Amino acid sequence: YMERLKLVLQYFQSNSESISNGICIILALVSVKLYTSFDFNCPCLPQYNKLYSLGVMIVPPIILFFLGVLINRHTGVMMDEWMRPLGNRSKNPAVVKYLFSAMIQRALLAPLVWILVTLLDGKIFICAFSVSVDPTPFSGTGQPNNTGLDVVKIMAKVPCKEDVIFRNSSFRKAVSRYVRCYSQAVGWSILLFLIVLGALGRLLKPCFENHGTFLQTRYWSNYLDVEQKLFDETCVLHARDFARKCVVQFFEDVRENTVLHLPHPPNIRCTQEVWEDEDDRLYGISKQDQMNHLLNKWYYSKPEL
């Protein structure tokens, strides 16, 4: 078991695309956990049932969608490539389109899981559409007629199993089963449609798209991701060496200018060889203006490919 778990973790850590897949799967599992822990209480009022139910079914998926967009690395890479100045490097719209498609597909996973879980569970659907059910076919199951309420208000109270008007009556359970069947039918139909759509897209895509062009687009999208990560890592290393040089230089100047010479730890004594080694790691850039010029050049004029 631990070996399998290790292999799964290695896969998700292998590249940014795998990491994005792992994050989206975790977000989908979180959406299921949120729904199962969510205490859904239908208002059982004709004017609020449908509004409240549709809000629970629609608002969380919207939040999960934008959260998926926010944590997806493809979002940043796509926006950087789309918004950057042209400079020495031409833009490839196919790469931006590929990154946008990958971002949307991953961001839609958690919202779709939430919607499917709500439909298969059926509670929200019962709350929303119990008022629309014709009670005539269920008249033989003990429909409460002596409550002084009209039919609409009675049907609006179907989701509330604790209501006293349904005591010693199977009417509520019969209507709930009826509406839940519709809810699950819609859920399974959507799931089947998505599976068939994905399978057809997978099968028919080679017929309408040049595979060589697709490989080029995928390669350069991965290149942009790797290039940005390497640039960020190089900047972090340069900033660390730059900061170390400034701090050590400060202590060296203090030691040279002070009258009272106290013993100093060896880690702040910088020999000529150490300075030369650090200058190599700083690529000759040891001034703020030089670094700002370099960063502007990277943004406005990336090297030609």
Side-chain angles (χ1 to χ4, degrees), residues 128-181:
F129 298 104
S130 62
V131 179
S132 305
V133 177
D134 182 12
T136 305
F138 308 99
S139 56
T141 58
Q143 178 181 351
N145 295 320
N146 56 351
T147 59
L149 300 174
D150 58 22
V151 175
V152 174
K153 291 184 179 180
I154 292 175
M155 300 305 293
K157 291 181 178 294
V158 166
C160 301
K161 59 183 179 181
E162 299 87 1
D163 202 293
V164 294
I165 67 172
F166 298 117
R167 186 174 297 171
N168 301 323
S169 172
S170 59
F171 176 79
R172 190 198 67 81
K173 292 182 179 179
V175 175
S176 297
R177 283 196 301 267
Y178 177 76
V179 180
R180 182 176 281 109
C181 288

Side-chain angles (χ1 to χ4, degrees), residues 83-108:
M83 299 299 295
R84 71 171 176 84
L86 194 60
N88 296 327
R89 182 185 298 182
S90 60
K91 295 184 180 182
N92 187 352
V95 173
V96 178
K97 182 180 177 182
Y98 175 84
L99 291 171
F100 178 78
S101 175
M103 176 196 69
I104 293 296
Q105 290 175 22
R106 290 177 173 85
L108 283 175

Side-chain angles (χ1 to χ4, degrees), residues 15-237:
N15 53 61
S16 294
E17 189 170 352
S18 300
I19 293 174
S20 298
N21 290 337
I23 292 175
C24 291
I25 292 174
I26 292 174
L27 192 59
L29 296 176
V30 168
S31 69
V32 175
K33 181 64 177 177
L34 285 175
Y35 179 79
T36 55
S37 60
F38 174 67
D39 187 15
F40 178 77
N41 294 309
C42 186
C44 296
L45 296 171
Q47 63 270 32
Y48 296 118
N49 280 13
K50 186 172 293 187
L51 181 64
Y52 177 72
S53 301
L54 293 179
V56 173
M57 186 175 287
I58 295 174
V59 174
I62 294 176
I63 296 174
L64 291 170
F65 172 77
F66 284 106
L67 185 60
V69 171
L70 183 65
I71 65 177
N72 196 326
R73 182 170 174 81
H74 284 106
T75 305
V77 178
M78 181 197 69
M79 293 304 298
D80 288 343
E81 179 64 15
W82 184 31
M83 299 299 295
R84 71 171 176 84
L86 194 60
N88 296 327
R89 182 185 298 182
S90 60
K91 295 184 180 182
N92 187 352
V95 173
V96 178
K97 182 180 177 182
Y98 175 84
L99 291 171
F100 178 78
S101 175
M103 176 196 69
I104 293 296
Q105 290 175 22
R106 290 177 173 85
L108 283 175
L109 178 61
L112 287 175
V113 169
W114 176 277
I115 293 174
L116 289 174
V117 170
T118 58
L119 289 173
L120 295 177
D121 181 59
K123 287 188 298 186
I124 294 178
F125 208 82
I126 293 172
C127 180
F129 298 104
S130 62
V131 179
S132 305
V133 177
D134 182 12
T136 305
F138 308 99
S139 56
T141 58
Q143 178 181 351
N145 295 320
N146 56 351
T147 59
L149 300 174
D150 58 22
V151 175
V152 174
K153 291 184 179 180
I154 292 175
M155 300 305 293
K157 291 181 178 294
V158 166
C160 301
K161 59 183 179 181
E162 299 87 1
D163 202 293
V164 294
I165 67 172
F166 298 117
R167 186 174 297 171
N168 301 323
S169 172
S170 59
F171 176 79
R172 190 198 67 81
K173 292 182 179 179
V175 175
S176 297
R177 283 196 301 267
Y178 177 76
V179 180
R180 182 176 281 109
C181 288
Y182 272 98
S183 177
Q184 292 177 347
V186 173
W188 286 114
S189 299
I190 292 176
L191 182 59
L192 177 63
F193 172 76
L194 293 174
I195 293 175
V196 172
L197 183 65
L200 289 177
R202 191 85 171 185
L203 293 173
L204 298 179
K205 187 177 181 179
C207 301
F208 299 97
E209 185 177 23
N210 189 322
H211 189 63
T213 304
F214 170 75
L215 290 177
Q216 294 174 13
T217 303
R218 186 174 181 178
Y219 173 86
W220 288 114
S221 65
N222 290 330
Y223 170 85
L224 292 176
D225 184 23
V226 173
E227 182 188 57
Q228 188 60 44
K229 285 200 301 184
L230 289 176
F231 181 78
D232 293 341
E233 291 171 1
T234 304
C235 286
V236 170
L237 293 175

